[in-house]
Amino acid sequence: MTTRPKTAMVLAAGLGKRMRPITDTMPKPLVKISGKTLLDWSLDSLARAGVDKAIVNVHYFPEQIVAHVAARRAPRVVISDESETLLDSAGGIAHALPELGGAPFYIVNADTFWIDSGVPNLARLALAWDAAKMDILLMLADSQSATGHSGGTDFLMAPDGALRRSKGDPTGLIYAGAAIVQPRLFKDAPAGPHSLNAYFDAAIAAGRLYGMVMHGHWITVGTPDAIPLAEAAVAAAFAEAPSAFTESTSAITELTSPFTELK
């Protein structure tokens, strides 16, 4: 039994090279979609899921991100400084582990976001989490519910939620940039930059990588010409369900009690 995650790691240190020339003068997480920065889309989702503390790693134009999050109160933001060396996804998590603590925590990419449909997807992820059989639980999207994704699929999911690599299978699912992980996975992590993909593969080999398909619409913004597509997707999602934010907020409130102890 475990409580829902109260802490999150927000991966915001990337260089955003494909987003140039916009990112010649600003970090990609501060690019705005429909009037809100990519970083705030992520932090707002964490706030709706009841996260108290978000560790945000910074490397590229770090002072801009530090200034941007200074006024946030929910969740409380702690900066993990990677100004000297960019540590990649898993290296950044290992570096921030003292702040992340000993309980399972969320990981969220700061360059993708989603529009929830009904119960917030991070709340659903917490309900699906089972520490007894999982090392990592990924949030996944199907290609029909995604905007801006130009690559292939990432994983195939068994009926019980167990994952394996899709190896290009078009029936597979896309990793949607959010997960719950066991902190012990990073206890003996190697020093320096390294990727989460190695941890995904290790969890597959151990039979402990699982997935949950999100409800709603997933959006990734890789290049400047993807911005209008993303904004159109946001407008369409809220046109279909204009009360989506209110419904999501009330839904998480209703689920607070079952979160007290989750299987």
Side-chain angles (χ1 to χ4, degrees):
M1 307 290 284
T2 183
T3 56
R4 61 188 172 102
K6 303 294 286 183
T7 303
M9 180 77 197
V10 181
L11 300 172
L15 300 175
K17 292 181 179 179
R18 294 174 59 229
M19 191 60 80
R20 291 174 177 167
I22 296 173
T23 50
D24 285 340
T25 57
M26 66 187 300
K28 184 179 177 183
L30 297 188
V31 171
K32 288 186 177 181
I33 304 297
S34 300
K36 184 191 293 191
T37 68
L38 289 168
L39 180 57
D40 284 321
W41 280 105
S42 296
L43 291 171
D44 287 351
S45 291
L46 291 168
R48 287 197 294 276
V51 168
D52 293 330
K53 180 171 75 169
I55 293 84
V56 177
N57 65 343
V58 297
H59 172 79
Y60 186 63
F61 290 115
E63 70 287 348
Q64 293 188 30
I65 292 179
V66 171
H68 181 78
V69 301
R72 280 202 74 108
R73 295 294 177 265
R76 178 171 64 90
V77 173
V78 175
I79 296 295
S80 179
D81 189 2
E82 297 178 22
S83 297
E84 292 187 5
T85 303
L86 183 60
L87 295 172
D88 205 344
S89 52
I93 292 168
H95 180 68
L97 207 57
E99 285 286 351
L100 289 164
F105 57 87
Y106 288 112
I107 299 171
V108 177
N109 290 349
D111 60 354
T112 64
F113 68 101
W114 60 91
I115 307 298
D116 289 314
S117 177
V119 176
N121 283 291
L122 292 182
R124 294 181 58 242
L125 202 66
L127 286 169
W129 172 253
D130 185 345
K133 69 178 184 179
M134 300 174 185
D135 282 343
I136 305 173
L137 175 63
L138 303 182
M139 190 174 86
L140 304 168
D142 61 59
S143 57
Q144 291 75 32
S145 301
T147 291
H149 183 69
S150 57
T153 64
D154 299 306
F155 298 99
L156 295 173
M157 188 166 68
D160 67 349
L163 298 180
R164 57 188 174 91
R165 294 286 184 179
S166 65
K167 298 180 179 179
D169 189 325
T171 66
L173 296 160
I174 304 162
Y175 173 46
I180 296 176
V181 298
Q182 298 269 19
R184 58 177 169 74
L185 298 180
F186 304 95
K187 181 181 178 182
D188 298 315
H194 61 292
S195 171
L196 272 172
N197 273 307
Y199 294 82
F200 294 168
D201 288 336
I204 289 172
R208 295 181 62 84
L209 183 71
Y210 283 76
M212 181 209 76
V213 180
M214 61 165 288
H215 292 168
H217 199 89
W218 181 70
I219 301 168
T220 180
V221 189
T223 58
D225 59 6
I227 292 175
L229 297 176
E231 294 186 330
V234 170
F238 282 101
E240 291 174 6
S243 59
F245 179 81
T246 303
E247 291 171 357
S248 294
T249 304
S250 62
I252 186 65
T253 301
E254 292 168 5
L255 286 175
T256 298
S257 179
F259 275 151
T260 304
E261 290 193 334
L262 302 175
K263 292 184 177 180

